[in-house]
Amino acid sequence: MSEERIQDAIVHCPHCGHSVHVDIDLSEDEQDYMDECQACGGEIHLQLSLQPSDEKYHLHINADDEQYY
């Protein structure tokens, strides 16, 4: 993992709304992983994808329990 391909992003926890810093690894075009909110301990589901139409990375965030509904 190259440090120049790591970006810091600020996201809002879907559980408590707290701003959370996460490191985004841009070395892969498609990623799906979990992180933890430092404030409430809730699991944050992050999905990163590179969209060919605009050649930009898109980060989608949701709570881990939302995937089952």
Side-chain angles (χ1 to χ4, degrees):
M1 188 167 23
S2 172
E3 286 192 33
E4 55 199 42
R5 299 292 294 171
I6 302 292
Q7 294 260 330
D8 180 53
I10 299 173
V11 300
H12 295 283
C13 174
H15 300 284
C16 69
H18 183 78
S19 296
V20 179
H21 286 268
V22 294
D23 288 329
I24 305 296
D25 180 8
L26 302 177
S27 65
E28 295 182 31
D29 293 345
E30 299 287 327
Q31 296 181 49
D32 190 344
Y33 59 98
M34 303 294 282
D35 206 337
E36 183 177 295
C37 175
Q38 294 100 357
C40 71
E43 291 288 320
I44 303 171
H45 181 222
L46 299 116
Q47 294 173 298
L48 180 72
S49 61
L50 178 63
Q51 298 298 316
S53 59
D54 61 6
E55 296 184 5
K56 292 182 181 179
Y57 285 94
H58 295 261
L59 181 63
H60 300 278
I61 297 161
N62 60 25
D64 59 338
D65 58 350
E66 291 177 0
Q67 299 176 66
Y68 302 110
Y69 299 111

